Amino acid sequence: MLVVTRLRAPSSAASAEAELRAGLVRALAVLAAKPGYVGGEVGRNVDDPALWVLATRWENVGSYRRALGSYEGKMHVQPLMVHAVDEPSAYELVEEGTDLNEARPRSIG
C-alpha cells in the first residue's frame, strides 16, 4: 500500500519550515524501523514551498496502522498530523493480476 500525506507548514517563517522538515525526517526514520515498511520519502512542493509530503510504502494496511499506533509513532509521527491536509492518504497499489478494493460499505461484526 502507498500512503501519501501532504502537510502545510504552520507559517512561512524559516524556523517553522525547518521544524516541520526535521519532524518529517524523524518521522520517516521512525516508520522505516517498523515491520512491513517497504520505502518512503520526504519532499517539498516545487511551486508551493510551504507544502510538504511524507510518502511511504507498506506491505499492507495493518503494518502501517501498527507503525502509527506504536509508542514511537504516537510520539514522533502523529503530532505532525496537525499540519496534514484533510484528504484521504492511503492508496492500494495497482498491480497486474490483482483485484482492487470494492467501493462498498463495510459491515461491522
Side-chain angles (χ1 to χ4, degrees):
M1 81 169 280
L2 173 66
V3 179
V4 179
T5 305
R6 298 185 316 140
L7 305 99
R8 185 158 299 280
S11 76
S12 60
S15 61
E17 291 192 11
E19 186 176 331
L20 181 57
R21 178 182 180 166
L24 289 170
V25 169
R26 173 74 176 134
L28 184 62
V30 165
L31 294 172
K34 298 300 177 190
Y37 175 85
V38 175
E41 297 84 27
V42 171
R44 188 173 80 164
N45 189 281
V46 176
D47 298 315
D48 182 354
L51 189 59
W52 293 77
V53 67
L54 175 62
T56 55
R57 291 177 305 286
W58 297 87
E59 289 177 5
N60 53 56
V61 68
S63 295
Y64 172 65
R65 289 180 177 160
R66 283 187 293 279
L68 277 185
S70 70
Y71 174 79
E72 297 86 357
K74 289 177 182 175
M75 294 300 295
H76 300 289
V77 182
Q78 290 185 19
L80 295 173
M81 295 305 133
V82 69
H83 304 297
V85 175
D86 186 16
E87 63 186 12
S89 61
Y91 297 86
E92 59 186 321
L93 297 176
V94 177
E95 297 172 332
E96 187 70 32
T98 60
D99 293 327
L100 296 177
N101 189 30
E102 293 181 27
R104 61 181 167 79
R106 308 224 190 255
S107 63
I108 299 174

